[in-house]
């Protein structure tokens, strides 16, 4: 049970860099690092993970053992009238409250992760009560699949060391681009994707209204994508990729790209 809770929280920990509203874990991590993780932030995220997330692991373990929480899973599944689990169901909302993050609900419903696997096990147990176990699920909801098991500290440190030893642009993306920059890039991509998805259903109504909504939405999405590709280009050049290579990838003259990166925050000596 505790291993499953640790797997659930570790999955959330890996995603948390992209959560604007997550402030608890960064504060704890800097405390564990003696006040400020500084340039060793990635290293501290590896070695400090277990200490930082322990309160949430305990809270999640208590939640998974709580019959009332299991009942919420059953209600979310439609009980006697099966339906797909909602992204922001009663169980995930309550779990967010129990770990001190009322906003976590939709983020906790990580399809393909250990929490959804546990929820599926609870639902199968209720629906097959009194019948033989479903083939392939003999271990029940508490079984932590291999792909859901957290990567060990030793494994993460080996990967981090390998990334840091690679020369120039051969270094791994995570070793050359700060966690903050990666988070901003990811958030911009997610925002553009969400904006574009919302445009799928606007092609009904008066021509002027539809055109206005489409053009406004597309313009906003284009702005987000332009911002994220500029950030990505800056990160690539700062990570050792030759400016000429980046210019070729974005189909832009080197001089124009260099001027653009200088105004975006790139290094002035990029050329």
């Amino acid at each position: 049970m505790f291993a499953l809770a640790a797997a659930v929280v570790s999955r959330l920990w890996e995603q948390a860099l992209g959560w604007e509203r997550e402030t608890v874990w960064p504060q704890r991590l800097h405390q564990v690092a003696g006040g400020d993780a500084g340039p060793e932030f990635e290293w501290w995220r590896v070695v400090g993970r277990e200490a930082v997330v322990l309160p949430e692991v305990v809270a999640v373990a208590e939640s998974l053992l709580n019959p009332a929480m299991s009942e919420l899973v059953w209600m979310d599944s439609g009980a006697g009238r099966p339906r797909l689990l909602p992204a922001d169901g009663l169980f995930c909302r309550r779990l967010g409250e129990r770990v001190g993050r009322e906003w976590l609900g939709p983020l906790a419903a990580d399809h393909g992760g250990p929490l959804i696997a546990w929820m599926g096990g609870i639902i199968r147990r209720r629906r097959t009560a009194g019948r033989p176990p479903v083939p392939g699920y003999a271990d029940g909801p508490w079984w932590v699949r291999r792909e859901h098991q957290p990567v060990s500290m030793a494994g993460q440190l080996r990967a981090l060391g390998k990334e840091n030893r690679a020369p120039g642009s051969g270094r791994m993306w995570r070793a050359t681009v700060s966690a903050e920059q990666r988070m901003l890039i990811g958030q911009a991509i997610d925002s553009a994707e969400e904006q574009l998805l919302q445009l799928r259903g606007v092609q009904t109504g008066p021509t002027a209204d539809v055109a206005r909504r489409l053009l406004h939405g597309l313009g906003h999405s284009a702005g987000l994508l332009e911002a994220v590709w500029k950030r990505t280009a800056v990160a690539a050049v700062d990570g050792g990729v030759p400016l000429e290579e980046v210019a070729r990838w974005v189909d832009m003259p080197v001089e124009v790209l260099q001027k653009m990166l200088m105004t975006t925050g790139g290094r002035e000596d990029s050329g």
Side-chain angles (χ1 to χ4, degrees), residues 17-256:
L17 282 175
W19 297 345
E20 291 184 5
R21 302 178 68 177
E22 177 54 50
T23 58
V24 176
W25 280 343
Q27 291 175 356
R28 282 193 206 147
L29 183 62
H30 287 301
Q31 290 176 346
V32 168
D36 185 4
E40 299 295 326
F41 180 78
E42 289 289 349
W43 186 85
W44 279 108
R45 279 199 89 242
V46 173
V47 301
R49 180 186 67 183
E50 305 302 326
V52 171
V53 305
L54 182 59
E56 284 74 21
V57 173
V58 173
V60 169
E62 291 176 343
S63 298
L64 299 182
L65 285 174
N66 190 320
M69 294 293 285
S70 296
E71 188 63 27
L72 293 181
V73 174
W74 180 239
M75 293 171 61
D76 285 338
S77 73
R81 304 180 66 180
R83 66 184 181 191
L84 292 176
L85 288 170
D88 189 18
L90 296 172
F91 171 80
C92 287
R93 289 204 300 271
R94 182 65 183 127
L95 183 66
E97 295 171 0
R98 291 173 72 97
V99 298
R101 294 161 176 82
E102 291 77 8
W103 46 266
L104 183 62
L107 300 173
D110 179 22
H111 292 281
L115 184 60
I116 290 293
W118 174 82
M119 294 169 73
I122 293 296
I123 295 167
R124 284 190 300 273
R125 175 180 285 180
R126 289 287 295 268
R127 289 180 179 161
T128 60
R131 287 183 280 170
V134 177
Y137 295 99
D139 295 308
W142 304 106
W143 175 47
V144 183
R145 302 173 187 172
R146 180 180 296 275
E147 63 268 24
H148 292 161
Q149 296 173 9
V151 180
S152 68
M153 182 191 303
Q156 291 184 81
L157 289 177
R158 284 195 298 270
L160 188 61
K162 182 178 179 180
E163 292 175 356
N164 289 331
R165 287 194 300 271
S169 61
R171 296 179 66 195
M172 301 299 287
W173 178 260
R174 289 175 60 89
T176 57
V177 182
S178 70
E180 180 183 9
Q181 280 294 93
R182 297 199 310 272
M183 178 188 70
L184 291 173
I185 289 172
Q187 288 175 348
I189 293 173
D190 291 342
S191 297
E193 180 183 19
E194 181 180 355
Q195 181 71 41
L196 290 170
L197 287 174
Q198 291 175 359
L199 295 179
R200 288 183 174 179
V202 304
Q203 298 195 61
T204 57
T207 302
D209 290 344
V210 172
R212 175 180 54 81
R213 293 197 298 269
L214 279 173
L215 291 172
H216 178 77
L218 290 170
H220 183 60
S221 299
L224 290 171
L225 291 173
E226 181 178 2
V228 74
W229 83 251
K230 286 181 180 179
R231 287 186 181 277
T232 304
V234 169
V237 173
D238 286 347
V241 179
L243 184 66
E244 293 75 14
E245 282 290 292
V246 178
R248 181 169 60 84
W249 296 336
V250 299
D251 193 23
M252 180 178 292
V254 174
E255 297 77 12
V256 176

